[in-house]
Amino acid sequence: MARSGTRSAPDPYRQLTVPLLTYIRRLQSNIGPNDVITIVIPEFETKKMWHMLLHNQSGMLLRLRLLREKNIIITTVPLMLK
């Protein structure tokens, strides 16, 4: 039976990758070999290219760290900043 839902991993120091990777690895230990985990990463669409470099660093780092993990789907969702 598939489980779905939104979960958050709070961190008081605004670190993103380490707490999320810890949480994802904990999830991986509880799923079966045919199950997958979907990670949705927002990507800010900006009017100027240099703005995009400022806003999308943590999402890019997380995506790079997750590329080698098994049974993980990474989805990027564009969000328009005004």
Side-chain angles (χ1 to χ4, degrees):
M1 183 157 118
R3 291 181 292 169
S4 66
T6 303
R7 308 266 196 282
S8 64
D11 185 68
Y13 302 107
R14 294 184 53 154
Q15 294 180 359
L16 181 66
T17 17
V18 174
L20 277 174
L21 287 172
T22 303
Y23 180 73
I24 290 166
R25 290 190 177 122
R26 197 171 349 141
L27 283 177
Q28 284 178 314
S29 67
N30 294 324
I31 64 172
N34 296 324
D35 294 331
V36 295
I37 298 171
T38 302
I39 308 296
V40 180
I41 301 174
E43 184 173 90
F44 297 112
E45 298 293 326
T46 60
K47 293 181 181 179
K48 297 184 181 179
M49 184 61 106
W50 65 274
H51 289 170
M52 189 168 64
L53 295 172
L54 292 173
H55 290 289
N56 291 318
Q57 296 302 315
S58 55
M60 181 184 68
L61 292 173
L62 182 61
R63 193 170 33 251
L64 289 173
R65 298 278 305 263
L66 291 171
L67 284 175
R68 295 185 183 201
E69 298 287 329
K70 293 182 180 180
N71 296 343
I72 291 196
I73 297 172
I74 304 166
T75 304
T76 304
V77 178
L79 295 173
M80 181 57 117
L81 291 179
K82 293 182 179 182

